[in-house]
Amino acid sequence: MQSTFDPDQVFSALADATRRDIVRRAIDAEEGVAELATHYPMSFAAVQKHVAILERAGLVSKQRSGRRKVVRTNLEGLRMARRLLDQYEELWRGRIDRMTALVNEYTREKIR
């Protein structure tokens, strides 16, 4: 798992529907990589690659539990992604509010 938040790596990992589903399943349950692989129409090796990408992005971790490697979601990784999205939302809401104010001011001046 990575030690610093890399938004490009995180959002690139989350851009794939299978990886988003793996993150979701890893929150809800404690499935191993082999169990996760049964949910998708792809090989075990392909699912392993998806999990590895999510691990490098800091979104999941694997922990050995007996003979299984259990995949767990790193909630802090998701929280950091959410915080970044919240910052972008705040930025764009502020810009939209300023544009709305300018349009309203322009409209009021045109009516006079």
Side-chain angles (χ1 to χ4, degrees):
M1 185 172 65
Q2 71 180 32
S3 59
T4 59
F5 180 69
D6 180 350
D8 292 334
Q9 199 168 25
V10 168
F11 291 113
S12 177
L14 291 173
D16 182 85
T18 299
R19 291 193 287 267
R20 287 192 305 273
D21 193 61
I22 290 170
V23 169
R24 183 191 60 79
R25 287 178 188 280
I27 289 172
D28 296 338
E30 292 193 358
E31 292 183 296
V33 178
E35 291 94 351
L36 282 171
T38 64
H39 299 291
Y40 309 104
M42 61 185 72
S43 68
F44 173 78
V47 173
Q48 279 184 309
K49 287 180 183 180
H50 281 297
V51 170
I53 290 167
L54 291 167
E55 276 186 297
R56 284 191 298 273
L59 295 169
V60 301
S61 63
K62 287 188 298 199
Q63 296 177 329
R64 190 161 289 284
S65 177
R67 294 174 54 181
R68 297 170 59 227
K69 286 189 178 178
V70 176
V71 180
R72 291 197 173 98
T73 297
N74 173 10
L75 294 177
E76 185 55 31
L78 288 178
R79 284 186 193 109
M80 291 191 309
R82 175 60 191 257
R83 281 193 291 270
L84 180 60
L85 291 174
D86 288 344
Q87 289 172 359
Y88 280 121
E89 179 182 10
E90 184 179 332
L91 171 79
W92 282 103
R93 284 187 185 276
R95 288 178 177 179
I96 290 169
D97 290 345
R98 287 191 301 279
M99 287 188 325
T100 301
L102 287 171
V103 168
N104 288 340
E105 182 181 326
Y106 176 79
T107 304
R108 280 191 303 272
E109 288 178 8
K110 280 293 235 184
I111 292 174
R112 289 186 215 175

